[in-house]
Structure formats: structure tokens, C-alpha cells
Amino acid sequence: MAILECQKVSKAYGGLLAVSDLSFAVEAGEVYAIVGPNGAGKTSLFDCISGVNPASSGAIRFRDRDIQRLRAHDICRLGLARTFQTTVAFDSQTVLTNVLVGGTFGREGENPFLLFKNSAIEAALDALALCGLADNQRVSAGSLPVLARKRLMLATALATRPQLLLLDEPFGGLNPSERLEMIDLIRVVARSGLTILMIEHVMKAVQALANRILVIHHGQQIAEGPPSQVLRDPRVIEVYLGTLRPLGADAEHQHA
């Protein structure tokens, strides 16, 4: 059963068509990856789905509800959370406060101008434990290294207790050993039953995590299917690498 459906979604910025008539569906419980060269329209698509920047046309349905005209915080409260390419946090606040604020804003009925409710504190502590940050909850967010900041952003999203999690390049800026740690963490999150929609350039991570892949170029679909099939599609190899070298043989590749 599809938890998210995009039907003929387009996004235009003036004369530039970043996403063009794109249709796909994400099944509940799967890890679905979107890949493609820089400028392919991946983050623009995420912005449309999450309400950051609404689609110009088309329909986006989350849990059988049209969401393309809803604001970002309303979409989050329905159970759809996201992270961003660049790590964002309240750097002067503690790790715990960051997750509490994110979880409070992202949950229906919570009021961030009052004391944090027990349910919000519980959700924040659970998210920190899952992301390996339980021992850092009193640390200033601004002092964290890159991997820990990515874990913090993930914990903040998880504290909203979403049903669908959008991850925008979670492996960007990480070294090989850090990527392995992040792969393990995302596996744990996925095994909890959460559906994950992910944008990523690191093919080793995509192959390790994704049940299905959608490849887009100039905002349009090139291929869709399981990694073993899609990453050997000649069209995908030509568009993504500009060569007929098998994509699977370049697992560490990040498209510049």
C-alpha cells in the first residue's frame, strides 16, 4: 500500500522547470531512494512534498490525503518529517533542547511556548537514544562534529514520531567510516517500521539501503526499480556518469 503518491508533479521557478510531470509512489515500510546528477530536481521535489515550496501543478498524496497545498508544519504534523542537505540546529542550545523544540513544533496540539509535555520529553529522549546521542543531551549543538550534527538532525525529525521520513543527502560530507555508521543507523530506523524516502549520491549507501530507486534527470524519470536493475541500466549510466562503466563498480562515486 502506498503511503506517498506523486502524480504528474511539476515545479517551475520562472522559466526553469525543475520538476517535470513526475509520477511515482512509495510503499509503506520501504526505503525508496531518488538519485540523479546535481540539478536534476531532487531537492526541489523534496521541497514540494514537504511543503517548503509548493508544487506548480500535479497532486501529492500522503496517507490518501492531498497535501500539495498544505504548509510545511501542517504536513509535518500529519506524520511526514524531513532533514536537509546542510545540517541545521540551534547552535547555542543543548542537543536535548534542539530535539524537544523540533518534536514539539512537529506534533499536533503541542505548544512550544509552554513547558514541554512529558510526551514530548519522552519522544525526544527516545530519539536521542536511537541516534546514539543520549550521552550528549546537555552538550551544545554548535560544538558537535559533522556526523553527530547529522544524527541530531535525524533525532529532531524522529521526535515528531513520523510515519514517513525524507532524508536529503544524509551521507554528504561524511568519510567512509562515518558513512558505514550512518548506514547502520538508517537501517535501525527502517527496521522500526518507518518508511524512508532518501536523496543520495553515495551509491554504496543507496545499494545497501534502498528497496527501490528512482533516477531523475532534468526533473524527469529515467528509470525506476530495484538497485540491481536500475544501476545497470545504460540510460542511467550515461546520464549519471557520462560513461558506460557499470554504476555498481563505482560504489563510492559522488557526482560533482
mmCIF file with all atom_site columns, all heavy atoms in Angstrom, residues 21-38:
data_model
loop_
_atom_site.group_PDB
_atom_site.id
_atom_site.type_symbol
_atom_site.label_atom_id
_atom_site.label_alt_id
_atom_site.label_comp_id
_atom_site.label_asym_id
_atom_site.label_entity_id
_atom_site.label_seq_id
_atom_site.pdbx_PDB_ins_code
_atom_site.Cartn_x
_atom_site.Cartn_y
_atom_site.Cartn_z
_atom_site.occupancy
_atom_site.B_iso_or_equiv
_atom_site.pdbx_formal_charge
_atom_site.auth_seq_id
_atom_site.auth_comp_id
_atom_site.auth_asym_id
_atom_site.auth_atom_id
_atom_site.pdbx_PDB_model_num
ATOM 1   N N   . ASP A 1 21 ? 6.416  16.853 -14.578 1.00 0.00 ? 21 ASP A N   1
ATOM 2   C CA  . ASP A 1 21 ? 5.423  15.805 -14.811 1.00 0.00 ? 21 ASP A CA  1
ATOM 3   C C   . ASP A 1 21 ? 5.856  14.468 -14.211 1.00 0.00 ? 21 ASP A C   1
ATOM 4   O O   . ASP A 1 21 ? 5.767  13.426 -14.846 1.00 0.00 ? 21 ASP A O   1
ATOM 5   C CB  . ASP A 1 21 ? 5.196  15.661 -16.319 1.00 0.00 ? 21 ASP A CB  1
ATOM 6   C CG  . ASP A 1 21 ? 3.831  15.053 -16.648 1.00 0.00 ? 21 ASP A CG  1
ATOM 7   O OD1 . ASP A 1 21 ? 2.890  15.254 -15.866 1.00 0.00 ? 21 ASP A OD1 1
ATOM 8   O OD2 . ASP A 1 21 ? 3.714  14.380 -17.691 1.00 0.00 ? 21 ASP A OD2 1
ATOM 9   N N   . LEU A 1 22 ? 6.310  14.497 -12.969 1.00 0.00 ? 22 LEU A N   1
ATOM 10  C CA  . LEU A 1 22 ? 6.905  13.330 -12.321 1.00 0.00 ? 22 LEU A CA  1
ATOM 11  C C   . LEU A 1 22 ? 5.854  12.555 -11.519 1.00 0.00 ? 22 LEU A C   1
ATOM 12  O O   . LEU A 1 22 ? 5.123  13.127 -10.717 1.00 0.00 ? 22 LEU A O   1
ATOM 13  C CB  . LEU A 1 22 ? 8.033  13.770 -11.401 1.00 0.00 ? 22 LEU A CB  1
ATOM 14  C CG  . LEU A 1 22 ? 8.974  12.704 -10.864 1.00 0.00 ? 22 LEU A CG  1
ATOM 15  C CD1 . LEU A 1 22 ? 9.706  12.007 -11.999 1.00 0.00 ? 22 LEU A CD1 1
ATOM 16  C CD2 . LEU A 1 22 ? 9.981  13.321 -9.897  1.00 0.00 ? 22 LEU A CD2 1
ATOM 17  N N   . SER A 1 23 ? 5.807  11.240 -11.732 1.00 0.00 ? 23 SER A N   1
ATOM 18  C CA  . SER A 1 23 ? 4.862  10.373 -11.016 1.00 0.00 ? 23 SER A CA  1
ATOM 19  C C   . SER A 1 23 ? 5.601  9.173  -10.433 1.00 0.00 ? 23 SER A C   1
ATOM 20  O O   . SER A 1 23 ? 6.399  8.537  -11.111 1.00 0.00 ? 23 SER A O   1
ATOM 21  C CB  . SER A 1 23 ? 3.749  9.877  -11.949 1.00 0.00 ? 23 SER A CB  1
ATOM 22  O OG  . SER A 1 23 ? 2.972  10.942 -12.444 1.00 0.00 ? 23 SER A OG  1
ATOM 23  N N   . PHE A 1 24 ? 5.331  8.887  -9.161  1.00 0.00 ? 24 PHE A N   1
ATOM 24  C CA  . PHE A 1 24 ? 5.864  7.683  -8.508  1.00 0.00 ? 24 PHE A CA  1
ATOM 25  C C   . PHE A 1 24 ? 5.100  7.483  -7.212  1.00 0.00 ? 24 PHE A C   1
ATOM 26  O O   . PHE A 1 24 ? 4.364  8.361  -6.750  1.00 0.00 ? 24 PHE A O   1
ATOM 27  C CB  . PHE A 1 24 ? 7.371  7.802  -8.239  1.00 0.00 ? 24 PHE A CB  1
ATOM 28  C CG  . PHE A 1 24 ? 7.738  8.859  -7.229  1.00 0.00 ? 24 PHE A CG  1
ATOM 29  C CD1 . PHE A 1 24 ? 7.934  8.530  -5.899  1.00 0.00 ? 24 PHE A CD1 1
ATOM 30  C CD2 . PHE A 1 24 ? 7.884  10.182 -7.619  1.00 0.00 ? 24 PHE A CD2 1
ATOM 31  C CE1 . PHE A 1 24 ? 8.272  9.499  -4.967  1.00 0.00 ? 24 PHE A CE1 1
ATOM 32  C CE2 . PHE A 1 24 ? 8.218  11.162 -6.694  1.00 0.00 ? 24 PHE A CE2 1
ATOM 33  C CZ  . PHE A 1 24 ? 8.414  10.819 -5.369  1.00 0.00 ? 24 PHE A CZ  1
ATOM 34  N N   . ALA A 1 25 ? 5.276  6.314  -6.593  1.00 0.00 ? 25 ALA A N   1
ATOM 35  C CA  . ALA A 1 25 ? 4.625  6.009  -5.322  1.00 0.00 ? 25 ALA A CA  1
ATOM 36  C C   . ALA A 1 25 ? 5.617  5.293  -4.413  1.00 0.00 ? 25 ALA A C   1
ATOM 37  O O   . ALA A 1 25 ? 6.425  4.481  -4.865  1.00 0.00 ? 25 ALA A O   1
ATOM 38  C CB  . ALA A 1 25 ? 3.386  5.150  -5.538  1.00 0.00 ? 25 ALA A CB  1
ATOM 39  N N   . VAL A 1 26 ? 5.558  5.605  -3.127  1.00 0.00 ? 26 VAL A N   1
ATOM 40  C CA  . VAL A 1 26 ? 6.404  4.970  -2.117  1.00 0.00 ? 26 VAL A CA  1
ATOM 41  C C   . VAL A 1 26 ? 5.523  4.068  -1.264  1.00 0.00 ? 26 VAL A C   1
ATOM 42  O O   . VAL A 1 26 ? 4.502  4.508  -0.727  1.00 0.00 ? 26 VAL A O   1
ATOM 43  C CB  . VAL A 1 26 ? 7.095  6.028  -1.235  1.00 0.00 ? 26 VAL A CB  1
ATOM 44  C CG1 . VAL A 1 26 ? 7.953  5.351  -0.171  1.00 0.00 ? 26 VAL A CG1 1
ATOM 45  C CG2 . VAL A 1 26 ? 7.939  6.973  -2.087  1.00 0.00 ? 26 VAL A CG2 1
ATOM 46  N N   . GLU A 1 27 ? 5.921  2.798  -1.161  1.00 0.00 ? 27 GLU A N   1
ATOM 47  C CA  . GLU A 1 27 ? 5.137  1.840  -0.394  1.00 0.00 ? 27 GLU A CA  1
ATOM 48  C C   . GLU A 1 27 ? 5.470  1.936  1.094   1.00 0.00 ? 27 GLU A C   1
ATOM 49  O O   . GLU A 1 27 ? 6.613  2.208  1.471   1.00 0.00 ? 27 GLU A O   1
ATOM 50  C CB  . GLU A 1 27 ? 5.412  0.411  -0.881  1.00 0.00 ? 27 GLU A CB  1
ATOM 51  C CG  . GLU A 1 27 ? 5.074  0.175  -2.339  1.00 0.00 ? 27 GLU A CG  1
ATOM 52  C CD  . GLU A 1 27 ? 3.599  0.361  -2.627  1.00 0.00 ? 27 GLU A CD  1
ATOM 53  O OE1 . GLU A 1 27 ? 2.770  -0.080 -1.798  1.00 0.00 ? 27 GLU A OE1 1
ATOM 54  O OE2 . GLU A 1 27 ? 3.267  0.948  -3.675  1.00 0.00 ? 27 GLU A OE2 1
ATOM 55  N N   . ALA A 1 28 ? 4.486  1.710  1.937   1.00 0.00 ? 28 ALA A N   1
ATOM 56  C CA  . ALA A 1 28 ? 4.687  1.756  3.382   1.00 0.00 ? 28 ALA A CA  1
ATOM 57  C C   . ALA A 1 28 ? 5.729  0.730  3.798   1.00 0.00 ? 28 ALA A C   1
ATOM 58  O O   . ALA A 1 28 ? 5.702  -0.423 3.373   1.00 0.00 ? 28 ALA A O   1
ATOM 59  C CB  . ALA A 1 28 ? 3.365  1.490  4.105   1.00 0.00 ? 28 ALA A CB  1
ATOM 60  N N   . GLY A 1 29 ? 6.700  1.164  4.607   1.00 0.00 ? 29 GLY A N   1
ATOM 61  C CA  . GLY A 1 29 ? 7.715  0.281  5.143   1.00 0.00 ? 29 GLY A CA  1
ATOM 62  C C   . GLY A 1 29 ? 8.960  0.116  4.300   1.00 0.00 ? 29 GLY A C   1
ATOM 63  O O   . GLY A 1 29 ? 9.904  -0.556 4.735   1.00 0.00 ? 29 GLY A O   1
ATOM 64  N N   . GLU A 1 30 ? 9.022  0.717  3.117   1.00 0.00 ? 30 GLU A N   1
ATOM 65  C CA  . GLU A 1 30 ? 10.209 0.541  2.278   1.00 0.00 ? 30 GLU A CA  1
ATOM 66  C C   . GLU A 1 30 ? 11.170 1.722  2.408   1.00 0.00 ? 30 GLU A C   1
ATOM 67  O O   . GLU A 1 30 ? 10.823 2.791  2.924   1.00 0.00 ? 30 GLU A O   1
ATOM 68  C CB  . GLU A 1 30 ? 9.815  0.350  0.810   1.00 0.00 ? 30 GLU A CB  1
ATOM 69  C CG  . GLU A 1 30 ? 9.392  1.584  0.064   1.00 0.00 ? 30 GLU A CG  1
ATOM 70  C CD  . GLU A 1 30 ? 9.201  1.325  -1.444  1.00 0.00 ? 30 GLU A CD  1
ATOM 71  O OE1 . GLU A 1 30 ? 9.865  0.413  -1.993  1.00 0.00 ? 30 GLU A OE1 1
ATOM 72  O OE2 . GLU A 1 30 ? 8.382  2.035  -2.063  1.00 0.00 ? 30 GLU A OE2 1
ATOM 73  N N   . VAL A 1 31 ? 12.391 1.499  1.933   1.00 0.00 ? 31 VAL A N   1
ATOM 74  C CA  . VAL A 1 31 ? 13.361 2.575  1.746   1.00 0.00 ? 31 VAL A CA  1
ATOM 75  C C   . VAL A 1 31 ? 13.436 2.830  0.248   1.00 0.00 ? 31 VAL A C   1
ATOM 76  O O   . VAL A 1 31 ? 13.816 1.947  -0.523  1.00 0.00 ? 31 VAL A O   1
ATOM 77  C CB  . VAL A 1 31 ? 14.750 2.200  2.292   1.00 0.00 ? 31 VAL A CB  1
ATOM 78  C CG1 . VAL A 1 31 ? 15.737 3.336  2.033   1.00 0.00 ? 31 VAL A CG1 1
ATOM 79  C CG2 . VAL A 1 31 ? 14.679 1.893  3.783   1.00 0.00 ? 31 VAL A CG2 1
ATOM 80  N N   . TYR A 1 32 ? 13.050 4.029  -0.144  1.00 0.00 ? 32 TYR A N   1
ATOM 81  C CA  . TYR A 1 32 ? 12.955 4.400  -1.552  1.00 0.00 ? 32 TYR A CA  1
ATOM 82  C C   . TYR A 1 32 ? 13.950 5.533  -1.790  1.00 0.00 ? 32 TYR A C   1
ATOM 83  O O   . TYR A 1 32 ? 13.917 6.555  -1.105  1.00 0.00 ? 32 TYR A O   1
ATOM 84  C CB  . TYR A 1 32 ? 11.524 4.853  -1.853  1.00 0.00 ? 32 TYR A CB  1
ATOM 85  C CG  . TYR A 1 32 ? 11.189 5.095  -3.306  1.00 0.00 ? 32 TYR A CG  1
ATOM 86  C CD1 . TYR A 1 32 ? 10.476 4.141  -4.038  1.00 0.00 ? 32 TYR A CD1 1
ATOM 87  C CD2 . TYR A 1 32 ? 11.519 6.288  -3.944  1.00 0.00 ? 32 TYR A CD2 1
ATOM 88  C CE1 . TYR A 1 32 ? 10.116 4.373  -5.361  1.00 0.00 ? 32 TYR A CE1 1
ATOM 89  C CE2 . TYR A 1 32 ? 11.177 6.516  -5.273  1.00 0.00 ? 32 TYR A CE2 1
ATOM 90  C CZ  . TYR A 1 32 ? 10.473 5.557  -5.976  1.00 0.00 ? 32 TYR A CZ  1
ATOM 91  O OH  . TYR A 1 32 ? 10.110 5.782  -7.297  1.00 0.00 ? 32 TYR A OH  1
ATOM 92  N N   . ALA A 1 33 ? 14.869 5.345  -2.730  1.00 0.00 ? 33 ALA A N   1
ATOM 93  C CA  . ALA A 1 33 ? 15.921 6.329  -2.981  1.00 0.00 ? 33 ALA A CA  1
ATOM 94  C C   . ALA A 1 33 ? 15.695 7.044  -4.302  1.00 0.00 ? 33 ALA A C   1
ATOM 95  O O   . ALA A 1 33 ? 15.300 6.432  -5.299  1.00 0.00 ? 33 ALA A O   1
ATOM 96  C CB  . ALA A 1 33 ? 17.285 5.661  -2.981  1.00 0.00 ? 33 ALA A CB  1
ATOM 97  N N   . ILE A 1 34 ? 15.962 8.345  -4.300  1.00 0.00 ? 34 ILE A N   1
ATOM 98  C CA  . ILE A 1 34 ? 15.924 9.153  -5.518  1.00 0.00 ? 34 ILE A CA  1
ATOM 99  C C   . ILE A 1 34 ? 17.348 9.602  -5.817  1.00 0.00 ? 34 ILE A C   1
ATOM 100 O O   . ILE A 1 34 ? 18.008 10.212 -4.965  1.00 0.00 ? 34 ILE A O   1
ATOM 101 C CB  . ILE A 1 34 ? 15.004 10.370 -5.355  1.00 0.00 ? 34 ILE A CB  1
ATOM 102 C CG1 . ILE A 1 34 ? 13.572 9.918  -5.058  1.00 0.00 ? 34 ILE A CG1 1
ATOM 103 C CG2 . ILE A 1 34 ? 15.035 11.236 -6.615  1.00 0.00 ? 34 ILE A CG2 1
ATOM 104 C CD1 . ILE A 1 34 ? 12.607 11.047 -4.777  1.00 0.00 ? 34 ILE A CD1 1
ATOM 105 N N   . VAL A 1 35 ? 17.843 9.278  -7.002  1.00 0.00 ? 35 VAL A N   1
ATOM 106 C CA  . VAL A 1 35 ? 19.197 9.636  -7.384  1.00 0.00 ? 35 VAL A CA  1
ATOM 107 C C   . VAL A 1 35 ? 19.170 10.353 -8.730  1.00 0.00 ? 35 VAL A C   1
ATOM 108 O O   . VAL A 1 35 ? 18.194 10.297 -9.470  1.00 0.00 ? 35 VAL A O   1
ATOM 109 C CB  . VAL A 1 35 ? 20.130 8.403  -7.462  1.00 0.00 ? 35 VAL A CB  1
ATOM 110 C CG1 . VAL A 1 35 ? 20.127 7.647  -6.145  1.00 0.00 ? 35 VAL A CG1 1
ATOM 111 C CG2 . VAL A 1 35 ? 19.744 7.483  -8.600  1.00 0.00 ? 35 VAL A CG2 1
ATOM 112 N N   . GLY A 1 36 ? 20.286 11.006 -9.028  1.00 0.00 ? 36 GLY A N   1
ATOM 113 C CA  . GLY A 1 36 ? 20.416 11.733 -10.278 1.00 0.00 ? 36 GLY A CA  1
ATOM 114 C C   . GLY A 1 36 ? 21.495 12.782 -10.141 1.00 0.00 ? 36 GLY A C   1
ATOM 115 O O   . GLY A 1 36 ? 21.926 13.103 -9.024  1.00 0.00 ? 36 GLY A O   1
ATOM 116 N N   . PRO A 1 37 ? 21.973 13.337 -11.252 1.00 0.00 ? 37 PRO A N   1
ATOM 117 C CA  . PRO A 1 37 ? 23.035 14.344 -11.196 1.00 0.00 ? 37 PRO A CA  1
ATOM 118 C C   . PRO A 1 37 ? 22.577 15.588 -10.447 1.00 0.00 ? 37 PRO A C   1
ATOM 119 O O   . PRO A 1 37 ? 21.380 15.825 -10.280 1.00 0.00 ? 37 PRO A O   1
ATOM 120 C CB  . PRO A 1 37 ? 23.327 14.669 -12.671 1.00 0.00 ? 37 PRO A CB  1
ATOM 121 C CG  . PRO A 1 37 ? 22.447 13.822 -13.473 1.00 0.00 ? 37 PRO A CG  1
ATOM 122 C CD  . PRO A 1 37 ? 21.504 13.079 -12.606 1.00 0.00 ? 37 PRO A CD  1
ATOM 123 N N   . ASN A 1 38 ? 23.536 16.409 -10.010 1.00 0.00 ? 38 ASN A N   1
ATOM 124 C CA  . ASN A 1 38 ? 23.187 17.698 -9.425  1.00 0.00 ? 38 ASN A CA  1
ATOM 125 C C   . ASN A 1 38 ? 22.367 18.505 -10.421 1.00 0.00 ? 38 ASN A C   1
ATOM 126 O O   . ASN A 1 38 ? 22.652 18.507 -11.619 1.00 0.00 ? 38 ASN A O   1
ATOM 127 C CB  . ASN A 1 38 ? 24.446 18.480 -9.046  1.00 0.00 ? 38 ASN A CB  1
ATOM 128 C CG  . ASN A 1 38 ? 25.106 17.938 -7.793  1.00 0.00 ? 38 ASN A CG  1
ATOM 129 O OD1 . ASN A 1 38 ? 24.474 17.255 -6.998  1.00 0.00 ? 38 ASN A OD1 1
ATOM 130 N ND2 . ASN A 1 38 ? 26.383 18.237 -7.634  1.00 0.00 ? 38 ASN A ND2 1
#
